[in-house]
Amino acid sequence: MGILNVTPDSFADGGLHIDPDRAVEAGLRMVEDGADIIDVGGESTRPGAEPLPEAEELRRVLPVIERLASRVPVPISIDTYKASVARAAVAAGASIINDISGLQYDGELGEVVARTGAAVVLMHTRGRSTGMYDLAHYGDAAAEVAEELRAAMGRAVSAGIPAESIILDPGIGFAKKAEHSSEVLARLDTLLALHRPVLTGPSRKSFLKAALGERTAVEREWGTAAAVAASILLGAHIVRVHGVKAMVDVARVSDLIRNAAGQRLAISRA
């Protein structure tokens, strides 16, 4: 999943694709580089970010989705927690709704997903961006994240969303300190036990500084590569990244190794 931020203030690439023409070019390039999904987002949800008015979010994302939808062969995802934005984005050509709130912020979003027939990514977080770190307290981070995502699945199914349309995201960096993010990645099996596809988004996140030291977001690309490889080897089905071309190579080699391990296990069991 290639990240296409059409925002002026994203932590990793803020302002790079705020112009619709540049954003569309970037999306096309991601597909050429091997992206399987393009995730378009108009509101920065980095820790401390302020909410964006609905009208401005629509102004940013709709022209990009409309133009990409007619030109790319891969699904387009809308990164939003607002029901109205999700509805308009699906009408413009998106087929996945990537909700950082796990259906907690907007009570109408679940119904919109159900009515449109879109797939939905339910991400784990606690609270809003401005105060999420105040809630980063866990006894067993992996188990608690899994249990809270189980509750999000319950909200989705109650809203009429088929279970097979749900993807789960542990929310790396959201309401989590570095040690929590590392733990939920290391124990992806707790999410896989919920029997839904798992998406991880470690790309350029600040938790990588625990290993790398102080680096700017763009200087964390090698660290991202390690986290992407680990995610795939531990069972992730989708990885959400900024640097698509390099991470496609990482994913292909990781898949090769994971598939070889699976074949060896199958032979030993036979």
Side-chain angles (χ1 to χ4, degrees):
M1 176 184 274
I3 301 168
L4 186 56
N5 289 320
V6 287
T7 65
D9 56 349
S10 170
F11 83 97
D13 56 6
L16 193 61
H17 305 131
I18 190 66
D19 175 74
D21 290 336
R22 294 183 67 180
V24 171
E25 290 174 6
L28 295 174
R29 187 163 56 250
M30 286 180 185
V31 174
E32 290 176 1
D33 289 342
D36 299 298
I37 305 167
I38 301 297
D39 190 43
V40 179
E43 175 177 347
S44 175
T45 51
R46 73 190 190 286
E50 294 292 334
L52 185 71
E54 171 192 316
E56 176 61 16
E57 187 174 352
L58 288 167
R59 186 191 69 79
R60 292 177 184 179
V61 302
L62 288 186
V64 177
I65 293 171
E66 288 170 350
R67 291 167 63 183
L68 282 176
S70 63
R71 299 180 65 182
V72 299
V74 303
I76 297 172
S77 169
I78 175 64
D79 182 359
T80 190
Y81 55 83
K82 299 183 181 77
S84 57
V85 175
R87 185 185 299 110
V90 172
S95 57
I96 303 170
I97 297 166
N98 185 6
D99 174 24
I100 65 162
S101 82
L103 300 182
Q104 294 183 96
Y105 294 172
D106 188 332
E108 297 180 6
L109 181 57
E111 184 179 345
V112 167
V113 176
R115 285 186 175 180
T116 60
V120 64
V121 178
L122 301 176
M123 194 195 81
H124 176 271
T125 192
R126 291 175 174 174
R128 295 276 184 159
S129 295
T130 50
M132 65 172 67
Y133 284 144
D134 296 334
L135 301 173
H137 301 287
Y138 300 88
D140 184 331
E144 290 172 50
V145 167
E147 192 56 36
E148 289 168 36
L149 282 175
R150 186 191 300 275
M153 289 177 61
R155 289 191 290 273
V157 172
S158 294
I161 301 170
E164 57 268 25
S165 297
I166 297 172
I167 300 161
L168 300 177
D169 179 350
I172 303 303
F174 283 79
K176 296 171 188 69
K177 297 176 183 177
E179 60 267 30
H180 302 139
S181 291
S182 299
E183 181 186 345
V184 296
L185 271 182
R187 294 174 57 196
L188 280 184
D189 58 308
T190 58
L191 288 191
L192 295 169
L194 297 176
H195 304 294
R196 298 308 315 137
V198 171
L199 178 155
T200 64
S203 186
R204 302 180 183 176
K205 295 281 181 69
S206 62
F207 87 102
L208 297 169
K209 292 192 291 185
L212 304 177
E214 285 299 322
R215 305 264 184 100
T216 65
V218 295
E219 291 174 326
R220 300 173 201 150
E221 198 70 350
W222 281 104
T224 294
V228 165
S231 294
I232 294 168
L233 293 172
L234 291 168
H237 303 87
I238 305 169
V239 286
R240 183 176 181 271
V241 301
H242 296 87
V244 168
K245 189 171 186 177
M247 295 308 138
V248 164
D249 284 354
V250 172
R252 287 174 176 168
V253 174
S254 300
D255 276 341
L256 180 72
I257 295 168
R258 187 170 77 171
N259 291 339
Q263 290 169 5
R264 184 173 181 83
L265 181 61
I267 291 171
S268 67
R269 285 177 174 172

